Amino acid sequence: MATRADVLLEVDALTVDLPGRTGGRVRVLEDVTFQVPRGRVVGIVGESGSGKTMLLRSLLDLLPDGARRSWDRVVLDGADITSELPGRRLPAAMVFQDPMTSFNPLVRIGGHLTEVAQRFQKVGRREATALAREALVAVRIPDPDRVLSRYPHELSGGMRQRAMIAMALLAQPELLLADEPTTALDATIQAQILALLRALQAERALTVLIVTHDLGVVAAVCDDVLVMKDGRIVETGPVDRVFAEPQHPYTKTLLAAAPAAPDEPEPQPSPEPRETPGEGNA
Ligand SMILES: Nc1ncnc2c1ncn2[C@@H]1O[C@H](COP(=O)(O)OP(=O)(O)OP(=O)(O)O)[C@@H](O)[C@H]1O
Ligand SMILES: [Mg+2]
């Protein structure tokens, strides 16, 4: 177990319920307690409906209408901030699975990015544009000016996801939340985006929480893993330990069902993305 100073975020007994579709209320997270060690990449796995998305959304106050969230305690950087929530934002930003639904189709990439830069970094329009350009360079987009002037649908899927990550970086998060950020992409692009997230973690001392259904992704890019089932965390720990010696029967089932790990080297950060914006649907 990490010591206090190594822990960025600690959440005790998070419970969330939502209005049920047929009346009543549905508990989607139950007594969820976890620590996010600073500077690590943490994978969240578990079957569909187990509450992975709700867990990320509850950290950003992005729950559906009518949701009720409660927790015993939230500790950020060693400080108990429970009483300041929900008014206070956690220093977190989210990368969604499908950037097409997160970008306004009528607003150019530059418009999205400068808006976030202005709001979060309290700068004027001119400086925001410079910061937006820098963020696109940070996500290894080779021609940032061109991409700034593009509409979301004019970019390839991989470029759009890079732009979404750039937008998240402009909020200057310490904690980057990513909900299945590569599921919509083909395998090659997926590996590039994962390598990028890993590289950004190191360059910017980020802490990353990444939801995935792919245990291969966890093995390749995550340091730690949280295993969820039915709105609860059933197992957590360093990936090596959990994969070698799963303790919970559900984790054992998950690992047994996963295809054998491919005999491939881990994806490496690729400073020169091979794809080009606006071409194909990669
Ligand atoms: N808007 C909503 N209203 C009511 N229930 C919802 C709503 N959104 C999700 N749920 C329920 O909350 C539970 C947790 O959903 P969540 O989306 O967090 O699962 P998940 O682990 O992310 O699944 P997936 O792998 O399919 O994305 C599920 O039982 C789901 O049916
Ligand atoms: Mg989900």
Side-chain angles (χ1 to χ4, degrees):
M1 184 59 55
T3 63
R4 260 293 142 73
D6 298 329
V7 176
L8 173 66
L9 180 69
E10 185 181 334
V11 175
D12 288 353
L14 167 64
T15 294
V16 170
D17 59 38
L18 302 176
R21 292 179 176 114
T22 52
R25 299 195 67 85
V26 186
R27 180 141 297 181
V28 296
L29 293 176
E30 170 98 51
D31 197 19
V32 168
T33 293
F34 61 99
Q35 293 186 336
V36 184
R38 186 192 309 281
R40 309 269 286 183
V41 178
V42 182
I44 303 178
V45 299
E47 65 201 354
S48 183
S50 58
K52 304 179 300 292
T53 295
M54 291 300 146
L55 177 58
L56 292 194
R57 286 183 173 271
S58 62
L59 295 178
L60 276 185
D61 231 340
L62 288 177
L63 289 169
D65 285 345
R68 277 195 225 125
R69 177 184 71 171
S70 71
W71 33 37
D72 286 352
R73 207 165 63 115
V74 177
V75 179
L76 176 69
D77 274 326
D80 189 327
I81 59 166
T82 319
S83 64
E84 297 167 43
L85 295 163
R88 173 170 172 167
R89 284 185 56 93
L90 291 178
M94 181 98 126
V95 175
F96 295 93
Q97 174 177 359
D98 179 7
M100 240 358 229
T101 58
S102 317
F103 284 128
N104 178 340
L106 304 177
V107 176
R108 295 174 204 265
I109 298 297
H112 287 95
L113 268 58
T114 52
E115 201 262 331
V116 173
Q118 284 182 290
R119 183 148 49 97
F120 285 85
Q121 303 197 40
K122 310 272 183 269
V123 295
R125 176 137 203 107
R126 198 188 192 93
E127 198 175 335
T129 304
L131 290 170
R133 194 178 182 286
E134 259 175 53
L136 291 177
V137 173
V139 298
R140 282 69 162 165
I141 286 184
D143 45 0
D145 294 312
R146 197 171 102 100
V147 169
L148 283 174
S149 68
R150 286 288 180 272
Y151 288 97
H153 73 269
E154 296 180 301
L155 301 181
S156 69
M159 278 296 150
R160 210 152 43 223
Q161 194 56 292
R162 284 177 197 271
M164 170 110 249
I165 294 167
M167 187 160 85
L169 293 179
L170 285 165
Q172 298 188 297
E174 286 180 71
L175 183 61
L176 191 65
L177 310 175
D179 193 357
E180 309 226 25
T182 61
T183 311
L185 304 172
D186 77 31
T188 311
I189 310 298
Q190 181 170 351
Q192 291 176 12
I193 297 289
L194 291 167
L196 172 67
L197 287 173
R198 186 79 248 193
L200 289 171
Q201 183 282 317
E203 288 164 15
R204 303 188 163 229
L206 289 171
T207 302
V208 181
L209 264 181
I210 177 169
V211 167
T212 177
H213 62 267
D214 186 340
L215 294 176
V217 167
V218 175
V221 301
C222 297
D223 302 304
D224 300 292
V225 61
L226 299 178
V227 183
M228 295 193 66
K229 181 171 178 15
D230 301 334
R232 295 171 175 272
I233 292 177
V234 296
E235 182 155 6
T236 172
V239 172
D240 296 347
R241 206 275 294 147
V242 172
F243 278 27
E245 298 163 33
Q247 303 295 304
H248 194 279
Y250 177 65
T251 316
K252 292 180 189 171
T253 310
L254 261 189
L255 288 167
D263 244 355
E264 281 171 38
E266 294 188 4
Q268 296 299 315
S270 51
E272 300 296 331
R274 269 162 284 157
E275 51 172 339
T276 47
E279 287 170 11
N281 281 319

